[in-house]
Amino acid sequence: MPYTVPKLTDYSPAALEHAAAECLRACSEEASAVPNDAELKAFRDRWMARKSGILTQINDLWLKGAPREAKRDAGIRMNELKARIQELVENARVTVGDLAKDSAGRVDISMPGTRRPIGAEHPVLRASREMCAVFQRMGYSIAEGPVVETDYYNFEALNFPPNHPARDTQDTLFIAGQDSKPQRERLLLRTHTSPVQIRTMEKLCPPIRIVIPGVVHRNDPPDASHSPMFHQIEGLAVDTNITFGDLKGTLDHAMKEFFGSNVKTSFRPSFFPFTEPSAELYISCFICGGSGRRGSDPCRPCKQTGWIEALGCGMVDPNVFEFVKDNGYDPKKVSGFAFGMGADRIAMLKYGVDDLQLFFHGDVRFLEQWA
Amino acid sequence: MKLSANWIRDFVDLTVDDRRLADDLTAAGIAVEGISGSGADTVFEMEIGTNRPDAMNHYGVAREAAAIYDVGLKPLSSFGLQASGASDPGAEAPSKSKKSDAALKRRSSTESPVFPITVEEPQLCPRFSARVIKNVKIKPSPGKIAHRLQLIDQRLISNAVDATNYILWEMGKPTHVFDMDLLEGGLLIIRKAKVGEKLKTLDGVERTLSPEDLVVADAKRPVGLAGVMGGYDTMITDKTKNILIESAWWDPLTVRKTARRHEIHTDASHRFERGADFESTVLSCDLVARLILESGGELIGDAVDVVSRRLDQAPVILRVSEVHRILGDHLTGGHIFHILKKLGFNLIPEGEEDAEFRVQVPSWRLDVEREIDLIEEIARLHGYDKFANTLPAFRGAVVELPNAAMDKAFRERARALGYNEAVSLTFISNSDAERFSSASVLELENPLSEEARVMRSSMAPGMLDMLAWNLNRDVEDVRLFEMGKVYELRDGERIEPERACLGTTISALMKSLPADAALDVSKGDNAAAAEAFRLFKGDVENLLAVFECGNLNLDRQTGEYFHPGRSARILANGAVVAEFGQIAESVKSDRKLRQDIFLAEFDLDVLHKLGPRRVEVEAPAKYPAVERDFSFVFSDDVEFGAMQRAVSELRLQVLRSFVPVEIFRGGSIGAGKYSILLRIKLQSDEGTLRDDQIAAASEQIVKALQKLGGVQRV
Ligand SMILES: [Zn+2]
């Protein structure tokens, strides 16, 4: 039922108010349902045409017919109404037509998205970078060193004297043709990132805090948990008054940052020639929550113990400081701690990878999962 | 290393169960890695650090347990199986030991040594003890001995040999038994081996000795490799009647060197090279003797004990302040005293208010020589987890590696371009080293395989292997990149240049070609290859744009493993920064690659020196640009680069770009020629270009192209 302008008999404010509201509602309704361009024009004409448009009719019927005493009030109200209606008419658009067009051109939103390829970050390097970032936020700087090392840096200065049984545990790969050199100059593939501790202490005076990511090699045939090449992250902090509690607190914080805040840590005595006291850090299994079971199955990552070995650490052995004593590392004055972990191992733990070899094939079906 | 829980309990009365015992030992650093069996047959799989030979046996672990639980440890000397000459194989009760002690003492009153022993190397053999038993009966070990040895995976041989093995696992001291009647001259000499001297060891191997080997010899020949393995010709056999038991203290380094030289690793050498207990030589002889005597025989005379020099175990000064400096200050002097005492250390308080202790280290703890060694003992027995976690204060700055930002940008770009970050192994074969680089390489002394003999001098072989891995598994669209080091010798010095390598299969490359982006619309393989090359070149250019490369110059001087017509070398400021292109057909077929491969190698060392690209900002143009297309026919030997150079030499202020839009060969275009559609974009900073300006610029460009031999098609 299209709107027609009623005649007014009652010019009380309430009656005027009601009439204006009715008119505005009608206009608004029509404006929101214009089916096409022709109707839009008709809508505009119906309301705005100078000769017989609704606005003109209102002017004629309501304002002109108003009693004298109500004329002023009616005038103000009618001007307000006109302005509102003008606005509605001007802003009116073909609405039903848009809808019709859109529904005709509908696409299947369930079709798979076309994904432009994005390369993935390598999981081991990603874990390594994340771990380094944890330490960088604690004031550690990144340090690096050569992969092909001398006996001196890989062993001697780390308190592995020549012919010491502890060297047997390292399964070292040696560079050929070194026999004519003195032992400490002979080249080998570093078996750990620890030589960078010495190299850095030779360059920088205490206090220092460094974290050292890098590749290391061992004479280990490849299998699910061994590789002749793997990645380590080493750390070293030296200052006056560094205690065993600081070592524990720092690593406890780092493990919580990396693996999640509900991870608990436990330290067990161990042996490394370059630290004393030495420890192995265990973290509570974040897969089974420390229970050793996943539902009714045994938890494999923690071998049902509820604890996972995460890294080796300890207080820097005074013998190590002796090698860099001249650069401010007097073991009587400074103390420090060091730690080292396998980046591949923490990546396996964090991402639930059970075969180390997967990291080194470049198999895109594996790598793309980190994209 | 396996130990029996029940055997440990022989020496210490414990109320805890085996599982709890394992946990508590582990927490104190005597790691029990696994538990198998149950009840009396419970076996601990132990992981004892190389510095703790004293704990690589049942008594040593019992000693740790006694310290952990603060309970008594039964002395070994009062301990033992029944030792009378009477055959009593069932006698297993340890409580009847008094009688055997008396038996041992009674016979120790002989005046002259029962067996002459000469030590010619007192430095290397400071102590040599021996025992003589006669009229023994060689037979299988009694049940308890046999059962315990089998429980910990030891092979049974005979009662005499098993006795030495049993005592080694009981208290850690290796001993050896000779058939005394086979010792020529009835004497032993501890000496260096003579040049060319031979010894057949117990494992049946005839060994030629070095003059650096220390041997136990009789009057004629070596009869044992000191601390490593006894001789075959003097071993215990069924016929043995009389036995000499040897228990010595050998120089650890000498044992280690001999063991390594002859590639023998025995339970004995493992312990001697880590340092045995100097004070247990006679005791271990006695314990072995007791076990053998259980099956009959008689002890002859006293123990022979040749002490050439005493081992120097100087007391260690332990300051409470130093304990506090390293461990924090919650442990009092009283705590410290109590912990070390339990482990067998003797402490004498010294200094004002007992600020330090003079600590005498027990003979079985050769690993404890310094104050810090004692501090570790204190921490370990107190319990690592009881120390409060703290965070140290720090004064200092955090610095990044100098190239970190560039490397990060490179990585991120490579990934944005669709390349997956990969890691390949560092080793390559000799033939790959020769094929893929001209550098002098580092070879390994002990490679894992022939294929992994050389440290990589190029990233290309590893990348090709990874691409092949995917192709061999029907994964065709592969894009990988790797950043890392290569290893070279330059002027005799080792260097580790940093490189990046990009690799892709042609199918992955072509899939990234946007629709309608092909330039060369002619048919044929070469047109497709040109498109693939151009796509890959774009990736290379995008990656180089991380660095301040300036204008790039290209030539065709690439390695022989590249396709000669589809590869290029890139120079920036005269330095080679990259080589890239399709790999040679020969490489493809040698590696059985099922697709064409594109490879790029970046010299990151050179690029790092160029530094990160500086952004030079240009405001967006204010006035409209005009484009004009020209169609030319050129001879094949005129490359686009020549056109580009010719046009840029015009130095036209208004020329904004000059690009090829379409290429075509064949059809009406004669052989050896190609048609190229070129597009210029003109724009001025001063105003909208007028027709006459556009015409003038166009004319100059057309003329320059005609000079190159181009024929304009209208
Ligand atoms: Zn678990």
Side-chain angles (χ1 to χ4, degrees), chain B residues 2 45 148-155:
Chain B
K2 288 192 161 79
E45 182 60 50
R148 280 193 164 173
L149 285 175
Q150 281 173 322
L151 207 54
I152 60 168
D153 291 350
Q154 295 300 306
R155 198 161 60 94

Side-chain angles (χ1 to χ4, degrees), chain A residues 7-240:
Chain A
K7 282 202 172 144
L8 278 187
T9 47
D10 183 358
Y11 277 87
S12 70
L16 283 173
E17 184 76 41
H18 176 74
E22 279 293 303
C23 176
L24 204 57
R25 188 183 52 77
C27 181
S28 170
E29 252 172 36
E30 284 183 33
S32 64
V34 185
N36 52 43
D37 287 347
E39 285 298 316
L40 181 63
K41 190 177 177 300
F43 165 72
R44 283 185 174 144
D45 287 348
R46 199 167 116 70
W47 284 86
M48 304 293 282
R50 206 163 286 186
K51 270 193 177 160
S52 57
I54 291 172
L55 279 189
T56 311
Q57 290 179 42
I58 285 173
N59 205 42
D60 290 349
L61 288 172
W62 294 359
L63 205 57
K64 285 187 182 159
R68 215 161 146 192
E69 66 277 9
K71 233 173 191 136
R72 198 177 125 77
D73 182 37
I76 293 167
R77 287 177 188 276
M78 288 312 112
N79 280 341
E80 265 176 35
L81 180 63
K82 271 189 211 168
R84 301 278 299 273
I85 284 178
Q86 255 165 359
E87 196 186 322
L88 276 172
V89 172
E90 272 161 28
N91 290 335
R93 295 286 178 271
V94 177
T95 48
V96 179
D98 284 350
L99 267 178
K101 250 190 224 166
D102 286 352
S103 56
R106 210 170 84 137
V107 300
D108 182 349
I109 57 162
S110 65
M111 281 293 175
T114 306
R115 297 174 71 166
R116 281 177 274 186
I118 296 173
E121 194 172 12
H122 190 278
V124 172
L125 300 177
R126 171 171 162 164
S128 174
R129 286 168 196 141
E130 270 179 35
M131 185 61 87
C132 286
V134 166
F135 285 96
Q136 283 175 300
R137 291 194 288 275
M138 284 194 277
Y140 288 68
S141 296
I142 306 280
E144 275 186 339
V147 172
V148 180
E149 259 300 358
T150 59
D151 184 283
Y152 176 78
Y153 286 107
N154 196 69
F155 288 126
E156 191 181 338
L158 289 165
N159 201 29
F160 290 80
N163 289 308
H164 195 274
R167 288 183 174 219
D168 295 352
T169 61
Q170 300 279 309
D171 296 322
T172 313
L173 286 162
F174 298 96
I175 299 294
Q178 304 291 304
D179 298 345
S180 60
K181 292 183 182 171
Q183 173 148 12
R184 56 162 54 178
E185 288 170 28
R186 289 183 195 166
L187 297 177
L188 44 80
L189 301 189
R190 69 176 178 195
T191 56
H192 43 194
T193 38
S194 315
V196 187
Q197 289 186 26
I198 307 296
R199 289 183 174 275
T200 308
M201 286 193 282
E202 283 177 350
K203 273 184 281 186
L204 305 172
C205 301
I208 59 165
R209 283 186 185 192
I210 51 167
V211 59
I212 308 151
V215 294
V216 302
H217 296 85
R218 300 267 175 104
N219 194 353
D220 279 332
D223 65 27
S225 54
H226 293 88
S227 168
M229 183 201 81
F230 55 102
H231 300 77
Q232 276 194 342
I233 304 162
E234 185 93 6
L236 173 71
V238 183
D239 202 343
T240 49

